[in-house]
Amino acid sequence: MATDQESLGEPVEKITDLLAWGNDVDILELDKSGHPQQQWLHAHDGHVLPIQLKNWSNGFFSQSAREWRKALLDSFLPVGFPHSVSKDYLAYQMFDSLQAFFSTISSLLANRALLQGLGVGDASSSATFALLLTILKDAMSRIATIVFAHRFGLRIEPDAKRYRFLADLFNDSAFFLELYSPYLGSWGKVVALSTGEALRALCGVAAGASKAALSVHFARQDNLAELNAKEASQETAVGLIGLLVGTLVVKTIEDHSGVVVVMVLLVFAHLGMNYLGVRSVCMATLNRQRATILFEEYLKSGTVLSPEQVARRESIVFWSPIVRNLHGKKVVHIEFAENYGHAMSCPDAHDKVIIVDGANHTRFICSRVPGRLTPIKMLLWHGARPMDAIRAWFAAMEVAWLMGNDGAYTQKLDEMFCDAGVEGNGRKFSIAGKNRDSEFVPRFNSADLWSKLSGRGWDVEAQALETKAPVRLQIRRRRAKDA
């Protein structure tokens, strides 16, 4: 079978040809990214000997120690590390392992309280009560899983860092409910333990989905399955250490006040490590927050930030799609509409809606209501690409940027839109078209911007801006009814 080089017409030296002429042959094994992994000497007399690569040699370690070290790393890190994963993989996994360690100890303390809440060690408690409470907890967990997945399933991937942190916040809240359950009455135990189990179910959904999104980001050589397997190995090893330390903590600290103090410290350490972990992640796909940070800086200074620079400005928990104008005043709330009816709706039924058609998207802008933000809703056309979704978000931001502090249109916005008022069926709205005579060029359509985005490392072939079921528009002229 011909090799790839042969199929391209390039001459290739073959092992058999070199050996036939009595040559010794050096064989170099490379990983998928082209980095050397192992070297061999194939002598002309048929002997095959391994050769230690120079960059592996270390005078401090013996050869056997280096082999053990490599075997240990291969057990917990993806093959080809660090070239087979993104640059932020190691930092995230270090913090993730530390948070798993603290979480394991916290869970042991909470589990002891949970057993007490179920009646273990209490002569007045019945097995039937414990069984019914367990059934109720399990039912609450399943219901919470279904509801949360239905309500927030599409939001987790675009905001993976936020939901990864929130998952552990849910889990730690459940720990505290279980910790205090033994000191509550029968109904108090039912409410506390059922709520705790529901929170733990939310944690499972949020953590599982967000970890999947982060794993896709980390994987670089079609090694997603192996990366997840190695992460499971890391968590298992850290969990074993956490179990050993936690066993000592559980046996040593039995006083309730002491347990509470230790739990508070563990939870803060746990959440702190989780926060640092998600802060270290640097994603190159634009979601709503990253697109807002990026384009706002571009409007201010003409600078296109790198994914690393945007990551340092991201807010993990508290953020909403509210955009400021050039004076720093909050004027607009931006979102992708759920459907056409939602796009045409406004807070007040008497408000005017301005429809602005773009190349592959349409913006629906409600008129300014005193004391309220101006809603801008968007829908993409059928066949729109990820780049069109990004362009739609930038276009809405530029409208906000050019608005006055009271939300009124400025001269530049008047240059962008040429309004033609239409009224029908009791509802006022406008159809806005591009003013062909205008010399104003929107900055979101700048060719320089899109070339710089790719040059700075942003993936413009993907987008994570839509947090609800994606909707695409397709229109046709309606035929007039026959007289």
Side-chain angles (χ1 to χ4, degrees):
M1 181 179 293
T3 63
D4 291 338
Q5 288 86 349
E6 287 176 317
S7 64
L8 294 173
E10 299 178 4
V12 178
E13 289 186 314
K14 299 183 178 63
I15 298 175
T16 52
D17 293 341
L18 293 173
L19 292 174
W21 288 93
N23 296 307
D24 293 338
V25 181
D26 285 325
I27 308 293
L28 193 62
E29 295 179 2
L30 310 175
D31 61 16
K32 285 187 176 181
S33 57
H35 293 82
Q37 299 297 306
Q38 178 65 53
Q39 186 172 351
W40 302 85
L41 170 63
H42 192 148
H44 65 279
D45 58 1
H47 289 88
V48 178
L49 302 173
I51 299 175
Q52 191 70 39
L53 290 175
K54 291 182 179 180
N55 59 347
W56 283 6
S57 61
N58 190 330
F60 185 76
F61 293 102
S62 65
Q63 182 174 352
S64 59
R66 288 195 301 270
E67 291 175 354
W68 276 104
R69 177 174 173 269
K70 182 179 183 300
L72 187 64
L73 291 177
D74 288 344
S75 299
F76 295 102
L77 295 174
V79 172
F81 175 84
H83 312 293
S84 59
V85 293
S86 60
K87 295 179 180 179
D88 51 2
Y89 173 80
L90 184 59
Y92 173 80
Q93 290 303 134
M94 288 176 60
F95 290 119
D96 190 55
S97 297
L98 288 172
Q99 67 88 16
F101 171 77
F102 293 120
S103 179
T104 302
I105 302 174
S106 300
S107 66
L108 290 178
L109 293 171
N111 285 338
R112 180 173 65 182
L114 173 62
L115 293 174
Q116 293 172 351
L118 291 173
V120 175
D122 185 359
S124 63
S125 180
S126 67
T128 302
F129 174 77
L131 176 61
L132 293 176
L133 186 53
T134 302
I135 293 173
L136 179 60
K137 286 167 64 259
D138 187 52
M140 289 294 293
S141 173
R142 295 168 189 264
I143 293 172
T145 297
I146 295 171
V147 173
F148 187 79
H150 168 70
R151 185 68 179 83
F152 296 96
L154 288 171
R155 298 187 180 187
I156 296 177
E157 184 174 1
D159 294 320
K161 296 166 69 170
R162 171 185 293 184
Y163 282 93
R164 180 65 192 90
F165 179 76
L166 289 178
D168 282 330
L169 193 60
F170 295 148
N171 196 41
D172 290 341
S173 299
F175 283 158
F176 279 105
L177 288 174
E178 291 173 351
L179 185 65
Y180 279 96
S181 63
Y183 304 95
L184 303 175
S186 297
W187 285 108
K189 289 178 182 178
V190 170
V191 173
L193 295 180
S194 298
T195 305
E197 198 66 21
L199 287 171
R200 189 159 285 115
L202 302 188
C203 168
V205 176
S210 58
K211 276 190 173 183
L214 292 174
S215 295
V216 171
H217 162 71
F218 292 136
R220 285 292 181 267
Q221 295 180 354
D222 299 325
N223 57 343
L224 179 59
E226 190 228 355
L227 187 143
N228 284 327
K230 293 297 175 64
E231 183 177 359
S233 297
Q234 295 167 16
E235 291 182 353
T236 301
V238 172
L240 287 173
I241 300 172
L243 285 174
L244 293 175
V245 177
T247 301
L248 297 175
V249 173
V250 169
K251 292 188 66 176
T252 304
I253 304 174
E254 296 188 2
D255 178 65
H256 177 68
S257 59
V259 170
V260 170
V261 171
V262 172
M263 276 289 290
V264 169
L265 294 176
L266 288 172
V267 164
F268 273 105
H270 176 220
L271 293 177
M273 292 300 104
N274 190 279
Y275 181 82
L276 292 175
V278 293
R279 289 291 310 177
S280 67
V281 176
C282 176
M283 306 189 81
T285 304
L286 288 170
N287 66 358
R288 298 179 303 165
Q289 183 178 181
R290 288 190 284 274
T292 302
I293 295 171
L294 176 72
F295 195 62
E296 185 175 38
E297 182 61 35
Y298 182 74
L299 290 171
K300 288 179 180 178
S301 63
T303 302
V304 175
L305 301 175
S306 67
E308 292 79 9
Q309 291 171 318
V310 170
R312 288 193 288 268
R313 300 188 185 187
E314 277 187 272
S315 172
I316 300 301
V317 179
F318 302 105
W319 185 84
S320 60
I322 297 174
V323 182
R324 303 172 187 268
N325 63 7
L326 59 87
H327 304 293
K329 180 74 172 180
K330 295 180 180 179
V331 292
V332 165
H333 180 277
I334 305 177
E335 63 179 323
F336 278 91
E338 298 178 11
N339 50 54
Y340 193 77
H342 177 232
M344 288 295 297
S345 66
C346 279
D348 190 325
H350 300 289
D351 293 345
K352 183 175 68 174
V353 179
I354 300 173
I355 305 174
V356 186
D357 284 332
N360 283 291
H361 70 273
T362 296
R363 280 164 284 158
F364 302 82
I365 309 173
C366 290
S367 61
R368 173 69 174 173
V369 178
R372 296 180 186 172
L373 297 172
T374 300
I376 298 182
K377 303 171 186 178
M378 296 167 291
L379 284 173
L380 299 178
W381 291 69
H382 178 66
R385 301 167 298 166
M387 185 182 294
D388 297 317
I390 301 171
R391 185 178 282 111
W393 191 270
F394 288 173
M397 284 191 64
E398 187 158 12
V399 170
W401 184 257
L402 297 175
M403 280 185 175
N405 288 340
D406 58 352
Y409 275 16
T410 59
Q411 181 179 354
K412 286 188 177 180
L413 282 175
D414 290 335
E415 292 176 10
M416 291 176 68
F417 307 140
C418 179
D419 293 343
V422 180
E423 183 176 347
N425 203 21
R427 182 64 188 272
K428 296 181 179 179
F429 61 95
S430 294
I431 302 174
K434 184 72 178 65
N435 186 348
R436 296 181 180 178
D437 298 328
S438 171
E439 296 181 358
F440 177 71
V441 179
R443 298 184 70 179
F444 70 86
N445 245 351
S446 168
D448 177 64
L449 169 62
W450 294 100
S451 62
K452 285 183 177 180
L453 283 174
S454 299
R456 295 290 276 171
W458 291 104
D459 182 7
V460 295
E461 299 301 323
Q463 58 94 4
L465 295 163
E466 295 174 278
T467 58
K468 297 178 182 178
V471 175
R472 300 294 182 264
L473 291 183
Q474 192 174 52
I475 63 171
R476 60 185 178 183
R477 185 187 301 273
R478 192 167 190 176
R479 294 180 181 179
K481 294 183 178 179
D482 296 333

